[in-house]
Amino acid sequence: MNEEDDIEAESVAEMLELDLAHEQVRLFDWGIKDEEQRKKVMEKLAEKAHKAAVTKTSWHEHEPHTHNDRYHNAALSLAFAIKSQLFQTTTSDGKIDPKRKRALVDFLNLLEWASPKSWKLRTSLVRELQWKMESDAVKDRAAVESLIDGDVEQHRSLKTEDLWGYVDANEGGGWTGKMFGQSQEQLAKDDKHWTKTCTHSQPAK
């Protein structure tokens, strides 16, 4: 094509021997017949937009939304993903699919390398999973659940006011969002639930 010529869709199509559709395209037909109907449609759209804005705003109003919230939610999300996905596909003899195993091991190695040393999960569950995956010690989903539940119980046995998955307040420095004043029973429940900032006040399953 001559560089001095204007490049247009028709000329490109002609060179490539393509047929272009020239009919008008309408993405959506509201079927509006008169001004009164148009006004009703616009009012309905405005109402929906307002409700969506209110909902989105409420998602960001939950407190506290701390550095530790993110790590706690990340720990629970990791646990959920491993429980639900690791044995979703297996080999003919019931073992973890090699590709799935390799992907998890690589991700755990990345977590150990990229996450802060003050993240307690890094030196407990992540490291334990690395060792057990490499040695083929994880045989079924029950073993995975037992490993995760054991780590949560070990954390709570320390009588700490930090939720499972929090960073170490002594190493992390600064205020980390401790749940001061809560009983160990309540903290044990909270250990296994995402924060409201993550679930937008919906029940965490």
Side-chain angles (χ1 to χ4, degrees):
M1 180 177 291
N2 191 324
E3 293 182 358
E4 296 181 357
D5 294 337
D6 292 332
I7 300 177
E8 298 179 350
E10 288 77 9
S11 58
V12 173
E14 184 178 351
M15 290 182 60
L16 299 177
E17 298 181 353
L18 299 176
D19 292 327
L20 296 181
H22 293 283
E23 64 272 14
Q24 184 178 2
V25 177
R26 301 183 67 181
L27 297 179
F28 191 82
D29 185 4
W30 288 100
I32 298 175
K33 298 179 180 180
D34 52 43
E35 183 62 23
E36 184 179 352
Q37 189 175 11
R38 186 193 70 80
K39 185 178 180 181
K40 289 181 179 179
V41 169
M42 296 306 294
E43 288 177 350
K44 189 173 183 179
L45 288 175
E47 183 182 353
K48 287 184 176 180
H50 176 71
K51 288 182 179 180
V54 171
T55 300
K56 187 173 182 180
T57 300
S58 69
W59 290 353
H60 301 282
E61 291 179 345
H62 301 296
E63 296 292 347
H65 185 46
T66 67
H67 182 67
N68 267 329
D69 282 345
R70 299 185 183 94
Y71 277 98
H72 170 67
N73 292 329
L76 287 172
S77 297
L78 174 64
F80 177 79
I82 294 173
K83 286 181 180 180
S84 61
Q85 298 297 316
L86 189 56
F87 283 92
Q88 190 177 48
T89 56
T90 58
T91 60
S92 58
D93 55 353
K95 294 183 179 180
I96 302 172
D97 180 84
K99 291 182 179 179
R100 211 167 270 263
K101 175 185 174 181
R102 187 71 256 164
L104 177 59
V105 170
D106 288 345
F107 182 69
L108 292 173
N109 291 339
L110 177 63
L111 273 182
E112 185 177 27
W113 175 79
S115 57
K117 294 181 179 179
S118 55
W119 195 29
K120 297 178 181 179
L121 206 75
R122 180 176 180 269
T123 55
S124 57
L125 180 63
V126 171
R127 192 162 294 174
E128 186 75 5
L129 271 171
Q130 284 177 305
W131 178 80
K132 288 188 178 295
M133 291 297 295
E134 292 287 4
S135 60
D136 289 324
V138 180
K139 302 298 183 183
D140 51 33
R141 176 169 174 166
V144 175
E145 293 179 345
S146 177
L147 187 64
I148 293 171
D149 292 343
D151 194 77
V152 176
E153 291 171 5
Q154 173 63 26
H155 171 77
R156 189 48 47 209
S157 70
L158 300 175
K159 305 297 182 182
T160 177
E161 290 184 322
D162 292 333
L163 290 183
W164 184 67
Y166 269 23
V167 296
D168 190 322
N170 295 323
E171 293 184 33
W175 184 71
T176 56
K178 283 178 176 291
M179 311 297 286
F180 292 115
Q182 292 202 57
S183 67
Q184 287 297 314
E185 289 77 13
Q186 182 59 48
L187 287 168
K189 294 179 181 178
D190 292 341
D191 280 337
K192 299 180 180 180
H193 290 84
W194 284 276
T195 65
K196 288 185 177 181
T197 54
C198 182
T199 64
H200 308 311
S201 290
Q202 298 302 312
K205 298 179 179 180

